Every structure is written in C-alpha cells, then in structure tokens.
Amino acid sequence: MLTRVKNSIPNTITCLNLLSGAIACIFAFHYNETFGSLVGYQWAFICIGAAALFDFCDGASARLLHAYSDLGKELDSLSDLVSFGLAPSLILFNTINYFNTGSASEITPWAFAALFIPVMGALRLAKFNIDTRQTTSFIGLPIPACAIFWIGLVGWLHRTEAFNNYIVAAIIILMALMMVSGVRMFSLKFKNFQFRENFRRYMLILAAVLFVISEGISGLAWTIIFYILVSAVTRKDA
C-alpha cells in the first residue's frame, strides 16, 4: 500500500501540471477581461509558471522516491504538450488577434500561425521519448523553455506595442523549429551543486535574474535567447 502511494506521488504532481496548463488555456480566451488587477493573459502566465514548477517537482520527486515509470514518462509528455505547447500558443493566438483587430474575440488569419507551436511541440516530445541520446542533455529547445520565451515575448509586445505580423510569424516559425532542431542544449537539471560542473546553469540563473530585474517579464525571452546562445557556443553534453 505504501509503495503504491509513493509511486503515485510523481504522477499526481504531473496531473497538477496538466491542470495548470488547462486553466491557462481557459484564461487565454479571457484575454481582455480583468480579474482583480490582472487581465486574462497575465493569469495564463501565472498558470504556465505553476505548470513549470510542477513539471520540475514531478521529476525531482520521481528521482527522490525512485518512482520512475513508463506511465509517468508518457503522462509527463502529454501534460507538457498542453501546458507548454497549446497554452502559450493560445495566448499568442489572441495576442495577434488583439494587435490586428483591437479585440481578442475577432480573428485574423495571421493568428493561426501560432498553432505551429503545439504541432512542433508534439513532434519534439515524441522524438524525445524515443531518443536515448537525450539523457544528460537535450537535442533541440525543450518545450518548457519555448513556453517561457513566449511569455516574455508577449509581455514585451504589450509593453512596447512594437507589433509586426511578419516579424512575429517569423519568430514563431524559428522558435517552433528550434524544438525539433539538432542543436544540442545543456540540461537545466542539477546533479550536484558544485560550481565547476554547473557553471552554465548558475550563469543562466544569474542572467535570468538580471534580465527580469532590468526588463520585467520581457526578460524571460532574453533569458531563453541567452540559453540557446550559450548552448550553441559551449557544445558540452553535461
């Protein structure tokens, strides 16, 4: 009985990831509505952030409890597709509508470009599940990192109102293809806390703090760009 409870803990946390992502999808369609001091898309950001936290905790708990399972692996991918593929794409879908029509409820054909994100996200997760090379590093941009980028970019678009359909569509295509690219990305998981072995991870954390302090939520997009550049330059597996 105790073993069954222990083994179910990571999957329960993964389900909380999925639930957070599903709620983010709902808030994405309340784009112009205010809930307290936050509008719908900002609540969607918070839900995606919660999903990311649960995504980190389910893996950590599985390692701590020695509760790995094939079911957990598949459940994690399905949850990630909703939380980090579909949810940010719907936020971006309504962002594009908003800047083109002044309302998220009116649809412009440009908005459908955002749906390229979950399509490539699904392909990225499917490849990850059958690729034995991605145990200590990633090949292609991890889907949670892609979601974080979109949170930062949408925040930047609202802050600056520097919106252009062609540029946004190009960024969508580029970042979506990064998920299925052959670029090797270093893992963000800490095996230990030694500075020498985790130099890039500590550098990324520091960069994220500095970017967010200086740019606000827009700094998240710069953090992911920094992550891609450091991964491309260093070319290490660990």
Side-chain angles (χ1 to χ4, degrees), residues 25-62:
C25 292
I26 294 171
F27 278 127
F29 281 96
H30 291 272
Y31 199 86
N32 298 329
E33 296 182 20
T34 301
F35 302 89
S37 61
L38 298 176
V39 295
Y41 73 91
Q42 292 171 321
W43 279 111
F45 289 170
I46 293 171
C47 290
I48 293 174
L53 178 62
F54 289 129
D55 186 49
F56 173 81
C57 289
D58 65 2
S61 65

Side-chain angles (χ1 to χ4, degrees), residues 4-190:
R4 290 173 61 184
V5 171
K6 183 190 73 171
N7 291 340
S8 68
I9 289 175
N11 289 347
T12 300
I13 298 174
T14 303
C15 288
L16 292 175
N17 167 4
L18 175 59
L19 181 62
S20 299
I23 295 173
C25 292
I26 294 171
F27 278 127
F29 281 96
H30 291 272
Y31 199 86
N32 298 329
E33 296 182 20
T34 301
F35 302 89
S37 61
L38 298 176
V39 295
Y41 73 91
Q42 292 171 321
W43 279 111
F45 289 170
I46 293 171
C47 290
I48 293 174
L53 178 62
F54 289 129
D55 186 49
F56 173 81
C57 289
D58 65 2
S61 65
R63 290 190 294 272
L64 181 65
L65 299 172
H66 303 287
Y68 285 108
S69 69
D70 291 335
L71 173 64
K73 182 179 179 180
E74 299 302 326
L75 181 62
D76 185 70
S77 292
L78 293 170
S79 300
D80 286 357
L81 181 58
V82 173
S83 299
F84 310 125
L86 182 61
S89 77
L90 294 180
I91 296 171
L92 190 59
F93 181 91
N94 287 319
T95 298
I96 296 171
N97 286 329
Y98 175 81
F99 279 102
N100 276 275
T101 67
S103 172
S105 61
E106 297 182 41
I107 297 177
T108 175
W110 285 100
F112 289 97
L115 301 182
F116 190 54
I117 297 168
V119 172
M120 290 298 101
L123 184 57
R124 188 265 179 302
L125 290 166
K127 290 175 62 178
F128 177 80
N129 283 351
I130 62 173
D131 192 341
T132 57
R133 297 172 298 167
Q134 300 189 58
T135 55
T136 59
S137 63
F138 299 119
I139 299 176
L141 183 67
I143 191 170
C146 190
I148 291 171
F149 173 84
W150 293 118
I151 290 175
L153 183 67
V154 170
W156 182 83
L157 290 172
H158 279 278
R159 181 168 64 87
T160 64
E161 297 188 354
F163 182 88
N164 180 281
N165 282 315
Y166 294 99
I167 294 176
V168 171
I171 295 173
I172 289 171
I173 293 171
L174 176 62
M175 294 301 293
L177 291 178
M178 275 296 301
M179 289 191 285
V180 294
S181 71
V183 176
R184 191 170 288 275
M185 314 285 295
F186 66 90
S187 172
L188 300 178
K189 296 177 181 178
F190 285 82

Side-chain angles (χ1 to χ4, degrees), residues 219-235:
L220 295 176
W222 292 111
T223 299
I224 300 306
I225 292 172
F226 181 77
Y227 172 47
I228 294 171
L229 292 175
V230 171
S231 295
V233 169
T234 54
R235 294 284 183 176

